[in-house]
Amino acid sequence: MNWSREWLCASITTPAGSERASAVTARGTRFAARASALRDVAVGKDGDVGGFGRILGVGEHARQSLAGDHSVMNHRPTQTLLNIGHALDHMLLLIFATAVTRIAADFGLQRWEDLMPYGVAAFFFFGVGSLPAGKLGDLWGRRKMMLVFFFGLGLSSMLVAAAQSPLQIAMALAMLGCFASIYHPVGIPMLVQGAARPGWTIGVNGLVGNLGVAFAAVTTGFLVKYFGWRTAFVVPGIVCIVCGALFAACAHPEDAAPAKRKSNNSVLTGVSMARLFLVMTMAATSGSLLFNFSTNSNFELLSARLHGLVQDPARVGMLLAAVYGAASLTQLIIGHLIDKHSLKRLYVGVIGTQALLLMLATTQEGWSFFVTQFLFMSAIFAAIPFTDAMIVRFVNDEMRSRVAGMRLAVSFGASSVAVWLIGPVVKGAGFTALLSVMALISVVTLLVVSQLPTTPKPNPRPSAA
């Protein structure tokens, strides 16, 4: 074997060889530093880790990645499309709530509150669909499920645009909710496979997802004003189908479903999983209630509180998009902090701030409410990364989609009642009552999160890419 080693070492000293070696050196070096057993093999008798050792490291890195955590599959284009998928997921779910006034008028209804309950099915199936979606993600494959997500979401969005009655739009929205349910239990676990900084990865993903909420406000307001509410569903539906085609071309095929391959992830032990799952599910349910209450009512809420100041739907949409866009940046901060600090202390602080700001919002009008709305939406968005971070920290990759699916089925399914309640509560008691209910939910969430097990700071993990 000495001649082959000499030939390989000589080959990387040539310009062409050096160029090829430099493309793989970084990844091989990181793997050699991480795996001491591999380094021993690569070093040999001479005791030096040169180009040959690095090449062996690269080869073993690729082999173990494909057989194990599949981090090599999540190269930059795939990561980008997974994040865009999160934005489309939230955007399409909120178009109905943003355009509900125009849709109600088109269907001959006097008040938008009377049409709002027809959107409940979308959020109900968005929740309960997470359970089978998570199971299929682990057992059938996450790449396959994400293809179903992109194409199914796009086609069902166009079906909503073709609806001719409240009942038809309810059925089409239910189908849209089924396909939308795939993303969270499948897309996020796929994104964090082998991530060196899972908190930051989740934070970036949450930011992009909430930019989808912002786009729902601004693009829907624009499209409804100039082209009609049906176009507001058709355009993002086309974008979904295009993204699905790009994902099919870019995402590397899996050699095995997550449940059928051995995981190399290390998770924290010594924590009661039953207690953790209960706290995580209850906190996620209350958090989803707040998210649904706020994002599905904010357009009409802001219009009411700025009455006499701003009346143009497109301008209200732009103001709301600015709120969502700026508030979403808190997820980057939280994601960074999650990688460095205990979850419980951070979570309690965010929820406590959230409750105080919602109480303050009940007393505000005009532009002061606009500022307060930005603050309480920042706190609501800041709470989003925690449950996904808990799954990454406590659950092995081969079953993350199923655990996430069970949690989401309960939390999203239960929180779908918020969409149904918005119309009756606002119609009967006004937006102040709605904000008071949201503040109460935050207080309950604070009590639940206080029962979260105290965990040590996360240990830094070497990069898998």
Side-chain angles (χ1 to χ4, degrees):
M1 295 295 293
N2 288 336
W3 67 268
S4 62
R5 178 177 178 178
E6 291 173 2
W7 180 84
L8 285 170
C9 290
S11 69
I12 65 169
T13 63
T14 66
S18 298
E19 184 175 347
R20 288 192 300 270
S22 63
V24 297
T25 294
R27 191 173 288 175
T29 300
R30 284 195 295 269
F31 187 87
R34 184 177 59 180
S36 59
L38 173 64
R39 186 169 60 247
D40 292 338
V41 173
V43 168
K45 296 180 179 180
D46 296 334
D48 63 317
V49 183
F52 183 52
R54 290 175 178 177
I55 290 171
L56 282 179
V58 171
E60 186 67 9
H61 166 82
R63 186 191 69 78
Q64 291 199 11
S65 293
L66 287 171
D69 63 14
H70 272 238
S71 60
V72 73
M73 179 178 61
N74 286 347
H75 60 310
R76 186 60 58 85
T78 304
Q79 291 175 342
T80 300
L81 287 166
L82 285 170
N83 284 327
I84 291 173
H86 196 195
L88 290 169
D89 196 43
H90 285 295
M91 178 181 180
L92 282 161
L93 280 169
L94 293 174
I95 292 174
F96 174 74
T98 307
V100 66
T101 300
R102 295 297 180 90
I103 301 173
D106 192 29
F107 288 163
L109 299 176
Q110 296 298 317
R111 298 176 62 103
W112 65 266
E113 295 94 335
D114 296 327
L115 185 62
M116 200 68 190
Y118 286 90
V120 174
F123 289 89
F124 176 76
F125 286 106
F126 180 58
V128 299
S130 299
L131 188 59
K135 186 173 183 179
L136 287 169
D138 279 344
L139 300 179
W140 187 44
R142 291 171 184 160
R143 180 183 181 274
K144 297 174 184 176
M145 286 300 293
M146 287 305 298
L147 289 172
V148 174
F149 162 78
F150 280 117
F151 290 117
L153 196 65
L155 293 173
S156 58
S157 178
M158 294 181 185
L159 195 60
V160 175
Q164 300 297 320
S165 69
L167 181 58
Q168 287 182 13
I169 205 169
M171 295 173 65
L173 286 170
M175 183 178 294
L176 187 146
C178 288
F179 288 110
S181 70
I182 295 172
Y183 184 82
H184 289 85
V186 177
I188 295 178
M190 185 177 182
L191 186 66
V192 299
Q193 286 174 200
R197 300 169 62 196
W200 177 257
T201 302
I202 293 169
V204 171
N205 180 257
L207 168 64
V208 178
N210 285 329
L211 289 178
V213 177
F215 275 116
V218 67
T219 61
T220 301
F222 176 81
L223 291 173
V224 166
K225 180 178 180 179
Y226 294 103
F227 302 100
W229 68 267
R230 298 181 192 276
T231 307
F233 282 97
V234 171
V235 172
I238 293 173
V239 173
C240 282
I241 293 173
V242 172
C243 287
L246 292 173
F247 190 82
C250 294
H252 296 172
E254 298 169 288
D255 65 325
K260 298 176 183 178
R261 61 178 185 254
K262 184 179 179 180
S263 173
N264 294 326
N265 297 309
S266 60
V267 295
L268 297 179
T269 57
V271 177
S272 169
M273 291 305 297
R275 176 186 175 190
L276 177 68
F277 185 78
L278 178 63
V279 172
M280 183 169 57
T281 302
M282 292 178 67
T285 300
S286 57
S288 296
L289 279 168
L290 283 177
F291 186 86
N292 282 350
F293 269 130
S294 59
T295 56
N296 282 277
S297 66
N298 271 341
F299 188 88
E300 299 296 337
L301 172 58
L302 186 58
S303 297
R305 293 298 169 100
L306 294 180
H307 182 70
L309 297 173
V310 179
Q311 297 299 313
D312 181 19
R315 191 179 177 195
V316 173
M318 292 183 66
L319 289 172
L320 193 55
V323 168
Y324 289 152
S328 297
L329 294 175
T330 58
Q331 295 195 70
L332 293 180
I333 300 171
I334 293 298
H336 175 73
L337 293 175
I338 283 174
D339 288 327
K340 297 180 177 297
H341 301 282
S342 171
L343 278 172
K344 183 176 181 178
R345 182 179 300 177
L346 288 171
Y347 208 172
V348 168
V350 167
I351 299 301
T353 303
Q354 190 182 94
L356 293 174
L357 289 169
L358 285 167
M359 292 176 188
L360 176 64
T362 62
T363 66
Q364 303 299 305
E365 295 281 348
W367 292 112
S368 63
F369 174 80
F370 177 72
V371 174
T372 307
Q373 186 181 48
F374 159 69
L375 294 174
F376 74 67
M377 287 309 302
S378 296
I380 289 174
F381 287 167
I384 293 174
F386 285 101
T387 48
D388 287 318
M390 282 191 281
I391 289 177
V392 172
R393 190 169 295 185
F394 293 107
V395 182
N396 277 319
D397 180 63
E398 63 262 25
M399 61 182 300
R400 281 178 187 164
S401 288
R402 281 168 287 177
V403 172
M406 289 186 287
R407 187 263 297 178
L408 291 165
V410 176
S411 61
F412 285 173
S415 65
S416 65
V417 71
V419 182
W420 179 82
L421 284 174
I422 288 171
V425 169
V426 173
K427 187 176 181 178
F431 281 113
T432 299
L434 180 63
L435 289 167
S436 299
V437 170
M438 292 170 64
L440 179 61
I441 292 172
S442 286
V443 173
V444 172
T445 307
L446 185 62
L447 296 176
V448 170
V449 172
S450 67
Q451 301 304 308
L452 188 69
T454 301
T455 59
K457 296 179 182 178
N459 293 323
R461 298 170 55 188
S463 176

